[in-house]
Amino acid sequence: MRLLQLAAYAFASMILATGADAAPLAKELFGAKSKASKQRAAAYGSYSKGCVAGAVQLPETGPTWQAMRLSRNRNWGHPETIDYIRKLSAFAARQPGWDGLYIGDISQPRGGPMLSGHRSHQIGLDIDIWMRPANDLRLSRRNRENISSISMRRANGAFVNSSWTGQHHAILRAAAKDKRVARIFVFPGAKVQMCKDEKGDRAWLRKIRPWWGHHYHFHVRLKCPKGVRGCVNQDPPPRGDGCADAQQWVNNILNPPPPDPNAPPPKKRREYVLADLPKQCASVLQSR
């Protein structure tokens, strides 16, 4: 173990010594790993700047789920994440027309920045879950590369369309009520529809957050597991059910406000190198 730690520190020092501009991109280092590290499970850093040690691979097919787009090798997560998927998919399987869930991206085997797509999903605590009802859990690997989810949005996300059902509402409610969940991202029209339809306890709606896209899938983000040092939680959602803010988002879709002429131009995001990530990530990469 001591030799492994020394090797990891030497590796990180080498990267630092070469300078950030000359260092390989972190996404290339993490994207090259096909298996998890042989370490105790831990999430290091934040959702968009970190890595995961000792990740667990979600089986390609389970009694109430199937992992999709297997060629990406992104069905890895912290053990808490895998347990969450098992429990939520079992609930989904009890809904009319659903046999479980189709699971999209979780994380790479060792987390970290991805070669393509997400900025988050780096610490094994993010899950993309398809909106398409999982009514066939016998899909082949080839089918899972070619089949697509179903969009739930209408009017550019201001409203749900006819594919939205009470089962979607029930599954998202169950997803949000799990105490391990920090927040769930959906398109604005879905949040507003759930606000209108919920007749019981509304506390869970606080975790449902409107965000761009997210009409083919919803994105579950778990809190840092208890006792895991070095994992950085996102700030809690604002107080209240968030329904008024979601409605304002919808209003802005339907009647876009004029652009702010004084708004600064968006900054181009810099690609991370290993030195940008938590120091533990060097050890995660070096582990066999």
Side-chain angles (χ1 to χ4, degrees):
M1 181 62 183
R2 178 62 176 167
L3 290 175
L4 181 61
Q5 289 176 331
L6 290 173
Y9 292 141
F11 180 68
S13 299
M14 177 188 71
I15 295 294
L16 286 168
T18 61
D21 292 339
L25 298 179
K27 67 180 183 180
E28 296 171 350
L29 298 173
F30 283 93
K33 296 296 185 180
S34 61
K35 299 291 183 182
S37 67
K38 293 184 178 180
Q39 297 171 298
R40 184 177 180 179
Y44 297 119
S46 60
Y47 302 94
S48 298
K49 195 175 184 179
C51 59
V52 57
V56 175
Q57 187 176 29
L58 178 72
E60 294 179 6
T61 299
T64 53
W65 74 85
Q66 281 201 294
M68 311 303 283
R69 302 291 191 268
L70 296 171
S71 62
R72 297 180 181 178
N73 198 28
R74 295 177 180 177
N75 57 323
W76 299 79
H78 189 279
E80 285 283 354
T81 304
I82 305 306
D83 180 70
Y84 176 87
I85 292 170
R86 291 177 183 272
K87 291 182 177 178
L88 182 62
S89 66
F91 173 86
R94 298 194 293 271
Q95 306 309 303
W98 295 66
D99 293 332
L101 296 173
Y102 291 143
I103 304 299
D105 289 351
I106 308 171
S107 287
Q108 299 177 132
R110 304 188 190 199
M114 293 185 176
L115 289 170
S116 63
H118 312 283
R119 293 289 297 187
S120 59
H121 289 257
Q122 293 194 28
I123 57 175
L125 297 174
D126 291 293
I127 316 154
D128 285 346
I129 300 175
W130 282 21
M131 293 286 197
R132 182 186 187 120
N135 54 14
D136 183 358
L137 298 182
R138 297 172 296 177
L139 296 175
S140 67
R141 291 179 64 93
R142 182 176 180 180
N143 288 150
R144 284 182 259 183
E145 294 296 329
N146 296 318
I147 193 174
S148 295
S149 188
I150 298 172
S151 175
M152 298 287 126
R153 77 175 182 178
R154 178 168 59 89
N156 202 30
F159 307 103
V160 297
N161 60 28
S162 59
S163 295
W164 178 266
T165 66
Q167 287 72 48
H168 288 92
H169 182 108
I171 291 168
L172 277 156
R173 179 173 55 206
K177 282 192 170 185
D178 192 304
K179 293 181 179 180
R180 294 173 289 186
V181 170
R183 58 185 67 206
I184 297 174
F185 302 106
V186 296
F187 67 99
K191 165 84 179 195
V192 170
Q193 189 65 50
M194 285 185 280
C195 289
K196 291 177 179 178
D197 292 343
E198 182 55 54
K199 306 304 180 186
D201 173 34
R202 301 176 65 85
W204 61 275
L205 286 165
R206 180 188 181 198
K207 295 182 183 179
I208 305 292
R209 311 306 300 177
W211 201 247
W212 292 276
H214 296 87
H215 54 101
Y216 283 96
H217 70 272
F218 61 95
H219 176 165
V220 176
R221 173 163 293 168
L222 302 185
K223 301 173 185 176
C224 291
K226 292 182 179 180
V228 176
R229 296 182 178 180
C231 181
V232 181
N233 275 309
Q234 188 172 359
D235 290 340
R239 292 183 179 276
D241 60 20
C243 292
D245 289 341
Q247 183 61 58
Q248 184 58 54
W249 193 313
V250 165
N251 294 344
N252 290 341
I253 292 174
L254 298 174
N255 297 290
D260 181 358
N262 300 316
K267 292 183 179 180
K268 185 177 180 180
R269 288 176 172 173
R270 182 174 64 82
E271 295 282 1
Y272 292 141
V273 297
L274 183 60
D276 293 316
L277 304 184
K279 62 181 181 180
Q280 298 95 331
C281 292
S283 176
V284 171
L285 274 178
Q286 287 294 293
S287 174
R288 293 184 179 181

